[in-house]
C-alpha cells in the first residue's frame, strides 16, 4: 500500500481572465502529483497569481502575500510562490520585501513550475524565473478540467500587447504580442468540448489583432472565429478583450453571420474626450468609436455592450469628463467598469503631471457609477416580457428546483425548473428585473439545445 500523503496546491488568483486561465493551467501541469487544496491552511504549495494593472489590485496582492508569513513560520515546509504580473514587474525585489517567499515566476515561466518545485525540494531557495522571450509559445496542455461539471472555459489565443496605451503596464509585464498557432487553439477547443464544455471564451489582451500561423500561411481573428464556431458541441462562443482601433468590419460581420457567437462585446472606451484619448495613445476618436457601435448594432441589434473607463487621467478637465458622461448616455452600455487613474511603473503617463486631487477623481468615479446605475436599471427593465436564451449553469441557493442561468450577456437569470436542465440552453420569459439579476419563467418555453 502506498502511504505517501497526497500533496495539495492552493492558488490565490487576482486580476483578469488571463490569470484565471494560467492558474488552471498550473493546476493541470501539476496534476495528479498535486491536487487542488480547499484553502491555504490545507496546502503544501501556496501560489499567489498576481495582477499589477492598477495600484489597488497590486496593493491587495501585497497584503495577501503578507498573510502567508505566519503560515511559513508555523509550517516552514510549505512552499510559497508568487507568479503573474507583479512577479514579472518586481522579480527578485519580492524576496527583499517578503523573504519567506520561495519562488517568483513570470507569466512565461509557469510552464517550468514542475522543475522549480523539484529544485526547491532539493534545498534551493529564492528562485526567480521571469523569462520574456519574443518567440515564446504557450504549450498546449490537454489535462483534465478539474471542476466537477465544467460548462465554460477560456482559451488564450494570444498574449502580450503592442499598443502601449500611455497609462498601461501590460506591454511591460506581459511583453509583446504573441499569437498562438491556429492548430493549437483548435486542438485545445476540441479537447475542451470533448470534456463537456459548451461555452468557450477566446481571451487575450487584444484578441482583434490575432495573427496566427497555420500550415498554409497566417490566419486573422475573423477567420479564426469562422474556423472554430462550427466545432461539434460548441454552443456559445465569446471573445475578450477588444480594442476599438482593431475592431474591423470583418470582425463585426461575424456578429451577423455566426449564430453561436454571443451578442456581447466588451469594448473599452477609456474616455469620451478626443483630447484625453490622444494623451492615452488610444489611436481612435469618439466619432470612430460611435461609428463602430452603429455598425455593431446594425449587424446584431440585440448586442449587449460593456466598457471600461478611466477617470482622472492626468490633465482631464471638467469638460473632458463631461464628454465621457455624454458617451455613457449616448451608447447606453449594459455594464461599466470604471477606475480611478493610478500611476503605473514604466508607463509614459507616469511622467505626466498628475495634478488632479484624489477627491476629484473619487467624485468623478461616483458620478459615472450613479449615471450607469440608472442606465443599467433601464436596460434590465427593457428585458421584462422578452423571451431570452439562457444557459442553465446550476442550482440556485434560493430553494428546491430553483435554477441559475446566464444570458449571452452574462446576466444572471433565476427560475424554477427541473435540475436535469443544467447544462442546456433554454428559453425563459423574463418576468422581473432586480438590481443585479433577473427572474424568469419557463412557461411556454422550449429547450433549445
Ligand atoms: N489606472 C487606472 N485604470 C487602468 N486600467 C489600466 N491601466 C490603468 C491605470 N494605470 C484599466 C483600463 C483597462 C482595465 C483593464 O484597467 O480601463 O481597460
Ligand atoms: Fe494595456 Fe492598451 Fe494593451 Fe489594453 S490595449 S493591454 S490598455 S496597452
Amino acid at each position: 500500500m502506498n502511504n505517501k500523503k497526497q500533496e495539495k496546491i492552493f492558488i490565490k488568483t487576482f486580476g483578469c481572465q488571463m490569470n484565471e486561465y494560467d492558474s488552471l493551467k498550473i493546476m493541470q501541469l501539476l496534476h495528479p502529483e498535486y491536487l487542488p487544496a480547499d484553502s491555504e491552511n490545507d496546502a503544501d504549495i501556496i501560489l499567489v497569481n498576481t495582477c499589477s494593472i492598477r495600484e489597488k489590485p497590486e496593493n491587495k496582492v501585497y497584503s495577501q502575500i503578507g498573510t502567508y508569513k505566519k503560515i511559513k513560520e508555523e509550517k516552514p515546509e510549505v512552499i510559497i510562490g508568487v507568479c503573474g504580473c507583479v512577479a514579472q514587474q518586481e522579480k527578485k525585489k519580492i524576496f527583499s520585501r517578503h523573504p519567506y517567499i520561495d519562488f517568483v515566476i513570470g507569466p512565461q515561466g509557469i510552464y517550468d513550475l514542475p522543475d522549480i518545485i523539484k529544485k526547491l525540494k532539493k534545498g534551493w531557495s529564492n528562485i526567480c524565473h521571469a523569462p520574456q522571450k519574443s518567440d515564446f509559445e504557450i504549450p498546449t496542455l490537454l489535462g483534465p478540467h478539474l471542476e466537477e461539471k465544467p460548462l465554460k472555459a477560456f482559451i488564450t489565443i494570444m498574449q502580450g500587447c503592442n499598443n502601449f496605451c500611455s497609462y498601461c503596464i501590460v506591454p511591460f509585464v506581459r511583453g509583446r504580442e504573441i499569437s498562438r498557432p491556429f492548430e493549437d487553439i483548435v486542438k485545445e477547443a476540441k479537447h475542451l468540448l470533448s470534456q463537456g464544455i459548451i461555452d468557450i471564451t477566446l481571451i487575450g489582451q487584444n484578441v482583434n489583432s490575432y495573427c496566427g500561423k497555420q500550415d498554409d500561411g497566417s490566419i486573422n481573428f475573423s477567420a479564426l472565429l469562422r474556423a472554430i464556431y462550427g466545432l461539434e458541441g460548441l454552443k456559445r462562443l465569446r471573445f475578450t478583450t477588444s480594442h476599438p482601433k482593431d475592431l474591423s468590419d470583418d470582425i463585426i460581420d461575424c456578429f451577423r453571420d455566426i449564430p453561436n457567437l454571443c451578442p456581447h462585446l466588451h469594448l473599452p472606451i477609456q474616455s469620451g474626450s478626443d483630447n484625453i484619448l490622444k494623451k492615452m495613445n488610444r489611436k481612435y476618436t469618439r466619432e470612430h468609436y460611435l461609428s463602430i457601435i452603429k455598425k455593431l448594432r446594425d449587424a446584431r441589434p440585440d448586442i449587449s455592450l460593456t466598457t471600461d473607463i478611466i477617470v482622472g487621467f492626468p490633465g482631464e478637465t471638467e469638460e473632458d469628463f463631461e464628454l465621457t458622461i455624454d458617451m455613457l448616455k449616448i451608447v447606453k452600455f449594459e455594464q461599466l467598469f470604471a477606475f480611478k487613474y493610478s500611476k503605473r511603473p514604466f508607463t509614459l503617463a507616469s511622467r505626466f503631471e498628475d495634478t488632479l486631487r484624489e477627491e476629484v477623481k473619487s467624485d468623478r468615479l461616483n458620478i459615472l457609477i450613479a449615471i450607469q446605475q440608472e442606465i443599467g436599471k433601464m436596460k434590465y427593465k427593457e428585458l421584462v416580457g422578452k423571451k431570452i436564451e439562457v444557459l442553465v449553469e446550476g442550482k440556485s441557493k434560493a430553494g428546491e428546483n430553483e435554477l441559475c442561468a446566464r444570458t449571452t450577456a452574462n446576466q444572471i437569470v433565476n427560475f424554477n425548473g427541473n435540475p436535469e436542465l443544467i447544462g442546456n440552453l433554454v428559453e425563459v420569459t423574463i418576468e422581473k428585473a432586480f438590481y443585479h439579476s433577473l427572474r424568469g419563467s419557463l412557461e411556454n418555453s422550449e429547450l433549445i439545445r
Side-chain angles (χ1 to χ4, degrees), residues 53 161 163-165 167-168 170-171 205-206 243 270 282:
I53 188 103
C161 182
N163 288 318
F164 291 92
C165 299
Y167 51 82
C168 185
V170 167
Q205 302 295 346
N206 181 15
H243 193 305
Q270 311 298 4
R282 290 290 287 175

Side-chain angles (χ1 to χ4, degrees), residues 325-358:
I325 294 180
D326 189 49
M327 258 333 220
L328 269 196
K329 291 183 178 166
I330 297 174
V331 181
K332 296 194 178 64
F333 296 99
E334 196 81 39
Q335 213 184 339
L336 162 70
F337 300 88
F339 312 102
K340 277 196 275 184
Y341 169 75
S342 61
K343 210 182 227 188
R344 299 284 65 209
F346 319 121
T347 61
L348 183 66
S350 67
R351 286 183 255 148
F352 297 171
E353 207 186 343
D354 185 5
T355 48
L356 277 172
R357 279 178 296 123
E358 216 37 45

Side-chain angles (χ1 to χ4, degrees), residues 358-377:
E358 216 37 45
E359 219 181 296
V360 176
K361 292 185 193 173
S362 301
D363 285 349
R364 290 185 183 172
L365 186 71
N366 291 335
I367 292 170
L368 280 197
I369 293 171
I371 293 173
Q372 180 57 36
Q373 264 178 358
E374 289 309 308
I375 296 171
K377 255 196 257 171

